[in-house]
Amino acid sequence: MNFQSLTLAAALMLAGASTAAETPAKPIRILLVGDSTMANSSGYGDAFCSRVNRANTCLNLAKGGRSSGSFRAEGRWDEVEGLLRGAAAYRSTYVLIQFGHNDQPGKPGRSTDLKTEFPVNMARYVQEVKALGGIPVLVTPLTRRSFTNNVLENNLLPWADVIRTTAAAQHVALLDLNAESYAAVQAMGEDEADTLAVAPRPDKITEATLAAGKVEVAGAAKSAFDRTHVGAKGAAYFSRMVMEEMKRALPETAGQFKPESEQ
């Protein structure tokens, strides 16, 4: 190759490098799908999105009172599918899916059967995200914070187990929020756990107050003390937990979050 050819080749390489440098890399996008423990005003979802470098690429679509069945039945999953179809502007779209609280018995129009419906619903969400080119991420349900004789209850464990099994069967990432949040809340004890609630703990806690926290009114954000939903302190605490779990489960996302000093 003569000098003139080498010069031309070098110029082309520099031009290509310059073009690549001028073209910003496509961002990732994160979609949050779940119930009130993830939704705004009562969950950790907004706080999680605020930890993402480009917070406008993290959309909190979780809604209070929804189960794995009612979220789809109301047409809310259609919005997720629409966003996945319009994903060309993003390098990849991660869909975090957390259900279980409202799938439990005693919630008319929302409850799903643990053996015959819930596993099918969760697997279907995973398969449909994959089919549309997204990356499904299953999240076990955030623990409730009710203690009996200093021992934290975990009546969501059967639903968490189904999600773990589904993630393994479908070969998708799992964020085991139920296990990690249960261990953390058990370790901190009831008094400290109560500071994570939406409102301060009243001087007297009635059975009606505690029951209200376990039976969530569809679409209604909790405004009083209970041991299911979280206020600003709880949202900050659990959103960090979810972020760290996501970084471990999906190492390629680690650089997508703000440094700790900026969170």
Side-chain angles (χ1 to χ4, degrees):
M1 184 179 290
N2 59 33
F3 177 77
Q4 196 171 32
S5 298
L6 286 170
T7 302
L8 178 59
L12 289 172
M13 288 177 66
L14 286 171
S18 176
T19 301
E22 292 170 2
T23 304
K26 290 182 179 181
I28 69 163
R29 180 171 56 173
I30 303 173
L31 307 181
L32 304 183
V33 174
D35 55 38
S36 64
T37 61
M38 183 187 267
N40 57 34
S41 301
S42 59
Y44 65 81
D46 286 0
F48 174 86
C49 284
S50 72
R51 297 180 183 279
V52 177
N53 281 331
R54 297 177 61 168
N56 63 330
T57 66
C58 180
L59 304 179
N60 188 2
L61 305 176
K63 192 71 175 177
R66 274 59 187 184
S67 70
S68 67
S70 66
F71 192 89
R72 181 186 295 276
E74 293 178 5
R76 296 182 182 279
W77 185 247
D78 294 343
E79 180 181 2
V80 178
E81 292 187 310
L83 289 167
L84 285 169
R85 290 189 181 97
Y90 301 93
R91 183 163 75 252
S92 52
T93 297
Y94 296 84
V95 185
L96 276 60
I97 307 166
Q98 179 204 285
F99 288 110
H101 288 82
N102 297 295
D103 288 87
Q104 292 182 299
K107 299 178 181 181
R110 294 174 283 165
S111 299
T112 62
D113 185 84
L114 180 61
K115 294 183 178 180
T116 62
E117 293 179 285
F118 187 61
V120 172
N121 290 348
M122 298 306 293
R124 185 179 173 190
Y125 283 131
V126 167
Q127 292 159 5
E128 290 176 353
V129 170
K130 286 182 177 179
L132 289 171
I135 302 172
V137 182
L138 291 183
V139 186
T140 57
L142 179 67
T143 188
R144 292 192 173 96
R145 303 181 303 281
S146 298
F147 286 77
T148 300
N149 297 323
N150 297 318
V151 176
L152 183 65
E153 301 171 15
N154 193 1
N155 59 18
L156 286 159
L157 182 58
W159 285 263
D161 284 341
V162 168
I163 293 170
R164 293 180 189 117
T165 299
T166 303
Q170 298 292 325
H171 306 289
V172 298
L174 173 74
L175 308 187
D176 202 347
L177 180 59
N178 183 262
E180 190 168 353
S181 62
Y182 177 88
V185 172
Q186 175 65 69
M188 69 177 66
E190 183 175 75
D191 288 343
E192 178 62 22
D194 283 349
T195 68
L196 305 179
V198 174
R201 182 174 68 189
D203 292 335
K204 291 185 178 181
I205 303 176
T206 66
E207 289 301 320
T209 298
L210 295 178
K214 294 181 180 180
V215 182
E216 177 187 339
V217 178
K222 305 302 292 184
S223 58
F225 173 84
D226 67 43
R227 288 172 170 149
T228 296
H229 305 90
V230 296
K233 181 178 178 180
Y237 185 83
F238 292 118
S239 66
R240 177 178 282 107
M241 187 176 285
V242 174
M243 175 189 71
E244 294 298 340
E245 286 209 7
M246 187 166 180
K247 287 197 248 184
R248 287 193 295 270
L250 297 156
E252 70 273 17
T253 67
Q256 301 300 322
F257 296 94
K258 298 173 184 174
E260 187 68 25
S261 61
E262 297 178 18
Q263 294 184 15

